[in-house]
Amino acid sequence: MPENPAASELPAEGVLSRIITTRPHTARIWNYWLGGGDYYEVDRAAGERIRQLHPGIGDYARADRLFLGRAVRHLVTECGIRQFLDIGTGLPTADNTHEVAQRLAPDARIVYVDNDPLVLAHARALLTSAPEGRTDHLDEDLRNVDAILERAARTLDLSEPVGLMLLGVVIFIGDDAEAYDIVRRLLEGLPSGSHLVLSHTITSPAMPDVDAAVSYWNQHGTPWITQRTPEAVARFFDGLDLLEPGVVSCSRWRPQPTDGDEPVEVAMFGGVGHKP
């Protein structure tokens, strides 16, 4: 398989020519829900239709972002992690992985991985690093595990613990066996002491409007989303020491007073696991 150049090495026109503006895209809609400005009218319209079907969608977009911040802070301050491999970066907003990590440890190194052209185009301008650390960006698909690990090793020392960030990205792998295998192989490439931070859209009888929203998305948007039960999400952490409180609604993973209102249950579940 030929190696793709890093996003920072791609010519801008090569990235921008891959952007499809006639169909809504999940990264741009997520940006819209988070209050960003990097979306098109087709994304706004789809985002509002999904909000009608599931009024709490904005809550779980924000809950997932806050979960990222709390998890990264924990890994930096409590576990001494100074390296992060963030796959499925999404469009940059506030408090991206490198911002949270380097605010606490300026020498932290972060490799972002995404294959969405709009994400890559913005990564050049927005995902900058503290002088003491480093931030790199790879144009790569989650399925290409070997290529991700090989290219990430140019920036990260894979003999030292790494925080593997998979927030809202495994939902795009429809086959269960393939999804679990991808996560397993990624973790096999990382040493003892590494951590997995993963979030995933769930399906639950208690939240039928979520199923309706995902069904609408899968008819009109791209890429296709797969929901899993909380028990199925927990399987991604098999073989790891799961940190308390386990796999829960992202809003309920170690909430902080600075998060704002009392956390509400959202259909995005997450957890953090330690590789023994």
Side-chain angles (χ1 to χ4, degrees):
M1 180 176 60
E3 181 182 286
N4 290 327
S8 57
E9 300 167 355
L10 285 169
E13 60 272 17
V15 172
L16 296 176
S17 66
R18 291 160 46 192
I19 298 174
I20 298 173
T21 62
T22 56
R23 192 173 184 190
H25 192 283
T26 180
R28 301 191 305 250
I29 292 179
W30 200 258
N31 181 266
Y32 170 68
W33 286 329
L34 286 172
D38 297 312
Y39 57 86
Y40 297 96
E41 175 57 27
V42 66
D43 305 307
R44 186 204 64 77
E48 283 306 309
R49 176 56 181 153
I50 293 171
R51 199 194 301 271
Q52 290 173 7
L53 294 168
H54 178 42
I57 189 66
D59 291 332
Y60 87 65
R62 289 187 292 273
D64 189 57
R65 175 57 46 163
L66 290 170
F67 167 63
L68 179 152
R70 294 195 300 270
V72 170
R73 283 192 292 272
H74 174 80
L75 295 189
V76 172
T77 60
E78 302 299 323
C79 306
I81 298 293
R82 294 296 183 269
Q83 306 184 106
F84 292 87
L85 179 57
D86 187 330
I87 306 177
T89 307
L91 284 164
T93 55
D95 283 344
N96 302 288
T97 297
H98 76 287
E99 293 172 321
V100 177
Q102 292 182 345
R103 193 176 299 142
L104 299 165
D107 61 336
R109 293 187 169 208
I110 296 87
V111 172
Y112 288 104
V113 182
D114 208 299
N115 66 347
D116 180 86
L118 190 60
V119 171
L120 296 170
H122 282 269
R124 285 188 181 84
L126 300 181
L127 298 181
T128 55
S129 174
E132 301 91 333
R134 184 170 173 185
T135 301
D136 282 341
H137 328 94
L138 305 182
D139 177 11
E140 196 58 80
D141 188 281
L142 171 62
R143 294 175 175 85
N144 298 333
V145 172
D146 292 342
I148 288 173
L149 292 172
E150 178 185 348
R151 297 175 63 203
R154 300 173 189 175
T155 300
L156 308 180
D157 179 356
L158 298 189
S159 69
E160 295 293 328
V162 174
L164 173 61
M165 313 293 292
L166 295 173
L167 276 75
V169 64
V170 186
I171 62 176
F172 303 124
I173 307 297
D175 182 82
D176 284 348
E178 182 183 15
Y180 294 126
D181 184 62
I182 286 170
V183 175
R184 177 188 59 79
R185 289 170 57 208
L186 283 166
L187 286 166
E188 284 179 349
L190 304 179
S192 175
S194 295
H195 287 70
L196 170 65
V197 180
L198 182 145
S199 66
H200 198 298
T201 304
I202 65 155
T203 181
S204 167
M207 299 179 179
D209 55 339
V210 177
D211 296 344
V214 171
S215 177
Y216 173 84
W217 171 259
N218 285 340
Q219 294 176 48
H220 301 279
T222 184
W224 183 278
I225 290 174
T226 295
Q227 295 168 275
R228 294 182 170 92
T229 64
E231 294 76 18
V233 175
R235 281 188 57 195
F236 287 107
F237 296 90
D238 284 355
L240 304 179
D241 299 325
L242 193 58
L243 276 59
E244 292 293 339
V247 176
V248 295
S249 171
C250 283
S251 58
R252 301 190 186 281
W253 195 90
R254 306 190 180 191
Q256 301 296 313
T258 53
D259 292 343
D261 299 334
E262 181 71 18
V264 297
E265 193 81 359
V266 296
M268 181 68 80
F269 272 41
V272 179
H274 166 264
K275 181 177 178 179

